[in-house]
Amino acid sequence: DAKTTQPNSMESNEEEPVHLPCNHSTISGTDYIHWYRQLPSQGPEYVIHGLTSNVNNRMASLAIAEDRKSSTLILHRATLRDAAVYYCILRDPGGTSYGKLTFGQGTILTVHP
Amino acid sequence: DVKVTQSSRYLVKRTGEKVFLECVQDMDHENMFWYRQDPGLGLRLIYFSYDVKMKEKGDIPEGYSVSREKKERFSLILESASTNQTSMYLCASSLSGFGQRGDTQYFGPGTRLTVL
């Protein structure tokens, strides 16, 4: 399975942009890049996903490198509510994946007031 | 909005008890999943189901079984609970069926199970 590498932790100040990096050098051509986050005492929630092109939604933007070996989740203006563990996940490419997600350790984002 | 609910937020059981964790989703999703989450180990998949009465083992199925008699409900069963099954249990569902890629999983709030 293709793996992802993320920094263990990052810090930001409120209302500043945050760029959360993810390396996935062994990504296959059909792997989607997913980002989820987990707020304290809650289950993970979907943030965004993409394949090749950059993606935007109301929560965040996803910038995907041209060679797809890395990606960056961008929170344009961090709020205290964005403090969470952020997971970068590649979809299991196996034929019997059934949509299985393999979570790594993620990045703990701390947002300072 | 998709809603995934789990029967309990907190549960305390004794070693050897049979434990049922229930999960219900309200969006007619085909796939349902059970994970456990432990500090330092992240989320690990226990079992998943892609249709009623269909199930597949995940990465750590030992000591667990599952049941999916109705599309909206997926139960995780600990036949004889042990202390090493103390964990946070998370249920999730997703829309797409077999072999689909790029679909989104929706998670419940989790059940924190303590086995004494």
Side-chain angles (χ1 to χ4, degrees):
Chain A
D1 291 348
K3 302 290 185 192
T4 62
T5 304
Q6 299 177 252
N8 289 332
S9 62
M10 291 186 66
E11 297 187 19
S12 173
N13 294 318
E14 203 174 7
E15 298 194 2
E16 289 184 356
V18 181
H19 290 233
L20 297 163
C22 181
N23 287 319
H24 29 78
S25 58
T26 60
I27 190 170
S28 75
T30 53
D31 278 338
Y32 281 77
I33 302 159
H34 287 244
W35 284 82
Y36 282 72
R37 72 179 185 180
Q38 187 171 18
L39 303 172
S41 302
Q42 295 187 28
E45 64 175 347
Y46 167 81
V47 177
I48 200 167
H49 78 276
L51 184 61
T52 55
S53 305
N54 294 345
V55 183
N56 298 296
N57 66 21
R58 62 177 179 83
M59 289 180 70
S61 296
L62 176 60
I64 301 173
E66 198 168 331
D67 63 6
R68 299 204 337 119
K69 293 185 177 182
S70 66
S71 61
T72 303
L73 180 71
I74 302 166
L75 307 179
H76 295 285
R77 289 184 66 193
T79 70
L80 297 178
R81 280 215 59 222
D82 291 321
V85 181
Y86 287 79
Y87 297 98
C88 169
I89 300 163
L90 301 182
R91 281 292 304 277
D92 187 338
T96 56
S97 67
Y98 298 98
K100 168 184 159 181
L101 297 176
T102 300
F103 286 79
Q105 296 304 309
T107 297
I108 300 171
L109 175 65
T110 302
V111 180
H112 300 289
Chain B
D1 279 351
V2 175
K3 195 167 183 183
V4 179
T5 57
Q6 296 184 227
S7 50
S8 305
R9 289 301 303 270
Y10 299 93
L11 207 53
V12 180
K13 295 291 182 180
R14 297 205 174 274
T15 301
E17 280 193 80
K18 191 169 186 175
V19 182
F20 292 87
L21 302 182
E22 298 243 304
C23 175
V24 178
Q25 50 94 2
D26 66 357
M27 285 299 291
D28 202 35
H29 282 178
E30 295 184 30
N31 292 347
M32 295 188 75
F33 307 83
W34 275 106
Y35 297 85
R36 64 177 282 177
Q37 184 172 28
D38 302 287
L41 296 176
L43 277 86
R44 294 178 291 167
L45 182 64
I46 304 171
Y47 266 98
F48 58 97
S49 168
Y50 53 91
D51 202 350
V52 174
K53 296 189 186 297
M54 306 304 289
K55 60 186 179 184
E56 289 284 338
K57 292 179 181 179
D59 299 319
I60 50 164
E62 296 78 20
Y64 303 94
S65 62
V66 290
S67 172
R68 193 166 179 202
E69 296 296 319
K70 294 184 178 180
K71 192 173 186 179
E72 68 270 18
R73 190 178 299 267
F74 191 35
S75 301
L76 179 70
I77 303 152
L78 288 67
E79 294 288 341
S80 178
S82 63
T83 55
N84 62 13
Q85 292 179 308
T86 291
S87 185
M88 169 69 83
Y89 289 88
L90 291 156
C91 175
S93 72
S94 68
L95 176 62
S96 299
F98 182 90
Q100 294 285 329
R101 298 174 190 261
D103 56 329
T104 299
Q105 285 193 20
Y106 298 86
F107 284 81
T111 296
R112 184 162 295 283
L113 173 67
T114 302
V115 182
L116 301 175

